[in-house]
Amino acid sequence: MSPEPAVLLVEDEESFVDALQVGLTREGFRIDVARDGHDALELFRRNSYDIVLLDLMLPKMSGLDVCRSIRATSEVPIIIVSAKGEEVDTVLLLEIGADDYVTKPYRLRELVARIRAVLRRREVPRHAPAESEDVLEYDVLRLDLDARRCFVDGAEIKLRKKEFALLSLLMENPGRVLTRDVLIDRVWGSDYVGDTKTLDVHIKRLRSLIEADPKNPRLLTTIRGVGYRLEATPAPR
Ligand code: CA
């Protein structure tokens, strides 16, 4: 990746364009702006980008169609931006290849954290954390994959087999929404036919072990109707 990650910002609302151009430039990104879907695909064909920030409601062509077109030829990270109150099928977004999504209004800090998280994930091959292949570390969590031990703030907690598998999957994908189907598939296997409540029960128990306040999770959050996410920028403790 170039020292200045190149962002293709696809956005038709001038107030957002202005704010993001200033904010993201200050954060060290290089930005090109497309104000409709056709411009976006044209710019994308002619240039190389590290990430695409894609508004859903666009003139001429919807963000969904832009996302599909880009995905037909490229694995570039895509973050979808939707307006508050807009009907968004988040499962569909992930299915057509969006890496993450944010809802307006968002804080610039949150968006930058999401962008960096997505870029980090693309830099590091999956299942190969940077520091050691056998240890996953994230915020207060530390998972020793070989010894199958888990530590929260340095104190060991006992996890059952499926809980361990679930947590390691989430820790391999911080900031990324993992759908219920993906979690069940990867932890219980694609032939799993049991009650989908099983997943919720496991998440609940994990929270009781890793969260300071399990009723208001700071790390492991629920994305309603979609799945779960290990927060890329956990709320302060
Ligand atoms: Ca728009």
Side-chain angles (χ1 to χ4, degrees), residues 207-208 210-220 237:
R207 281 181 177 146
S208 75
I210 68 173
E211 298 281 358
D213 178 2
K215 290 229 175 339
N216 296 296
R218 168 183 89 83
L219 289 164
L220 210 180
R237 277 188 279 169

Side-chain angles (χ1 to χ4, degrees), residues 169-182:
L169 191 55
L170 288 158
M171 286 178 70
E172 281 164 6
N173 297 280
R176 180 170 190 182
V177 183
L178 296 177
T179 65
R180 301 179 59 87
D181 284 350
V182 164

Side-chain angles (χ1 to χ4, degrees), residues 11-13 55 57:
E11 174 63 73
D12 60 316
E13 279 173 68
D55 186 30
M57 295 282 274

Side-chain angles (χ1 to χ4, degrees), residues 1 8 72-73 187:
M1 199 190 309
L8 175 58
T73 62
V187 174

Side-chain angles (χ1 to χ4, degrees), residues 56-72:
L56 265 190
M57 295 282 274
L58 291 167
K60 294 186 188 174
M61 201 177 165
S62 81
L64 285 182
D65 288 336
V66 174
C67 184
R68 283 195 191 94
S69 290
I70 289 177
R71 267 295 166 269

Side-chain angles (χ1 to χ4, degrees), residues 213-229:
D213 178 2
K215 290 229 175 339
N216 296 296
R218 168 183 89 83
L219 289 164
L220 210 180
T221 57
T222 304
I223 311 302
R224 271 187 71 187
V226 184
Y228 296 97
R229 176 169 63 209

